[in-house]
Amino acid sequence: MSAKLKAAVVGWPVAHSRSPALHGYWLKTYGIDGSYERVPVKPEDLETFLRGLAASGYAGVNLTVPHKEAALKLVDEISPEGQRIGAVNTIFVEKGRLKATNTDGYGFITSLKAGAPKFNPAAGPAVVLGAGGAARAICIALQDAGVPDIVLINRTADRAGALAKALGGKITVASWNDRTTALKAANLLVNTTTLGMTGQDPLDIDLKHLPPEATVNDIVYVPLETPLLAAARARGNTVVDGLGMLLYQAQPGFEGWFGKRPEVTPELRKAVLAAG
Ligand code: ATR
């Protein structure tokens, strides 16, 4: 009899993670005898926890705040994606070794393609709001997809400048005060900030200059239809919500740990939303 396959999301705090609902739905749907737990681990305990993963019988884990960067020093192997993003969110235990990767960029671009099938990355610049970890993964994914120019806009301009420099390629930094006019030539607008999330400040941006054929993607998914997406939809722009990124970024982990490529379906979306 083979041992039950085991994975988890590891964070501090980790109580609000939707990953257990997401992987739990897939385990049940595919009839896999596995588990996906929620494990709170303090930053000072991460090293001990990761070193014990193989002995504890884990096939692997997801990492969330605040462990994604710290884990880089604690694993045996980092994928090219993890190295470029400078953070990892998925670990596979293979023959006792810890192999880490970052699936956020994959999740973002796969969700964008699924939600906006007509979106053509090469058709024009992307305006990206925010310069945190999510923005970094998303800019890399956009560059890889063939976006010709990224206009990076962040409240703290220095952070946008530093990110542009670190990424290289064609990235223009525009000031937060110019966010409305910067939309003039946009083929894509992505919000990677926390603005518009329930409990946070609203995202104050006027879409009047945004071309009607542009796609708008918000990575916030609580609420699912943010005021940004509602405004974009009302003007006829194609909109992509943030839930898809969460669901697609989980695919590679599930496949590696449990041996089945899981599907993102309307039923999965419903189950994960209901778990919130
Ligand atoms: P993550 O790693 O998830 O992307 P983060 O590094 O905390 O999270 O980044 C959050 C982003 O939201 C940042 O771009 C942040 O802007 P600053 O770099 O200026 O902090 C942005 N953000 C958060 N609150 C904001 C606010 N009230 N106004 C404008 N931008 C805000």
Side-chain angles (χ1 to χ4, degrees), residues 130-134 154-156 159 176 193-195 201:
N154 194 48
R155 173 183 59 178
T156 310
R159 244 183 136 192
W176 184 250
T193 74
T194 47
L195 297 173
D201 289 338

Coordinates of all heavy atoms in Angstrom, one line a residue, residues 130-134 154-156 159 176 193-195 201, ligand 1:
G130 N 1.7 49.1 -9.6 CA 2.3 48.4 -8.5 C 3.7 48.0 -8.8 O 4.1 47.8 -10.0
A131 N 4.5 47.8 -7.8 CA 5.9 47.3 -8.0 C 6.4 46.4 -6.9 O 7.6 46.3 -6.6 CB 6.8 48.6 -8.0
G132 N 5.5 45.6 -6.3 CA 5.8 44.6 -5.3 C 6.2 43.3 -6.0 O 6.5 43.2 -7.2
G133 N 6.1 42.2 -5.2 CA 6.4 40.9 -5.7 C 5.5 40.4 -6.8 O 6.0 39.8 -7.8
A134 N 4.2 40.7 -6.7 CA 3.3 40.3 -7.7 C 3.6 41.0 -9.0 O 3.6 40.4 -10.1 CB 1.9 40.6 -7.3
N154 N 4.0 53.2 -9.9 CA 3.8 52.8 -8.5 C 3.8 54.1 -7.6 O 4.4 55.1 -8.0 CB 5.0 52.0 -8.1 CG 4.8 51.3 -6.7 OD1 3.7 50.7 -6.5 ND2 5.7 51.3 -5.8
R155 N 3.0 54.0 -6.5 CA 3.0 55.2 -5.6 C 4.4 55.6 -5.2 O 4.7 56.8 -5.2 CB 2.1 54.8 -4.4 CG 2.1 55.8 -3.3 CD 1.3 55.3 -2.1 NE 1.9 54.1 -1.5 CZ 1.4 53.5 -0.5 NH1 0.3 54.0 0.1 NH2 1.9 52.4 0.0
T156 N 5.2 54.6 -4.8 CA 6.6 54.9 -4.4 C 7.4 54.7 -5.7 O 7.7 53.6 -6.1 CB 7.0 54.0 -3.3 OG1 6.0 54.0 -2.3 CG2 8.4 54.4 -2.8
R159 N 10.6 52.5 -6.0 CA 10.4 51.1 -6.1 C 10.2 50.6 -7.5 O 10.7 49.6 -8.0 CB 9.2 50.7 -5.3 CG 9.5 49.8 -4.1 CD 8.3 49.4 -3.4 NE 8.3 48.0 -3.1 CZ 7.3 47.3 -2.6 NH1 6.1 47.9 -2.5 NH2 7.4 46.0 -2.4
W176 N 2.9 58.1 -10.4 CA 1.6 57.7 -9.9 C 0.6 58.8 -10.3 O -0.6 58.5 -10.6 CB 1.7 57.5 -8.4 CG 0.4 57.0 -7.8 CD1 -0.4 57.7 -6.9 CD2 -0.2 55.7 -7.9 NE1 -1.4 57.0 -6.5 CE2 -1.3 55.7 -7.1 CE3 0.2 54.6 -8.6 CZ2 -2.2 54.6 -7.0 CZ3 -0.7 53.4 -8.5 CH2 -1.8 53.5 -7.7
T193 N -1.6 46.1 -7.3 CA -1.6 46.7 -6.0 C -2.8 46.1 -5.2 O -3.6 45.3 -5.7 CB -1.8 48.2 -6.0 OG1 -3.2 48.5 -6.3 CG2 -0.9 48.9 -7.0
T194 N -2.8 46.4 -3.9 CA -3.9 45.9 -3.1 C -5.1 46.8 -3.1 O -6.1 46.6 -2.4 CB -3.4 45.8 -1.6 OG1 -2.7 47.0 -1.3 CG2 -2.4 44.6 -1.5
L195 N -5.0 47.9 -3.8 CA -6.1 48.9 -3.9 C -7.3 48.3 -4.6 O -7.2 47.6 -5.6 CB -5.6 50.2 -4.6 CG -4.5 50.9 -4.0 CD1 -4.0 52.0 -4.9 CD2 -4.9 51.5 -2.6
D201 N -8.0 50.8 0.6 CA -8.4 52.0 -0.1 C -8.9 51.7 -1.5 O -8.4 50.7 -2.1 CB -7.3 53.0 -0.2 CG -7.0 53.6 1.2 OD1 -7.8 53.6 2.1 OD2 -5.8 54.1 1.4
Ligands
ATR1 P1 3.0 42.0 -3.3 O1 4.3 41.4 -3.0 O2 1.8 41.1 -3.0 O3 2.9 42.6 -4.7 P2 3.6 44.4 -1.8 O4 5.1 44.2 -2.1 O5 3.2 44.8 -0.5 O6 2.8 43.1 -2.2 O7 3.1 45.5 -2.9 C1 1.9 46.1 -2.8 C2 1.7 47.1 -3.9 O8 0.5 47.9 -3.6 C3 2.8 48.1 -3.9 O9 3.1 48.5 -5.3 C4 2.3 49.3 -3.1 O10 2.8 50.6 -3.4 P3 4.1 51.1 -2.7 O11 5.3 50.4 -3.3 O12 4.1 52.6 -2.9 O13 3.9 50.8 -1.2 C5 0.8 49.2 -3.6 N1 -0.1 50.0 -2.6 C6 -0.5 49.5 -1.4 N2 -1.3 50.4 -0.8 C7 -1.3 51.5 -1.7 C8 -2.0 52.8 -1.7 N3 -2.7 53.2 -0.7 N4 -1.8 53.6 -2.7 C9 -1.0 53.3 -3.8 N5 -0.4 52.0 -3.9 C10 -0.5 51.2 -2.9

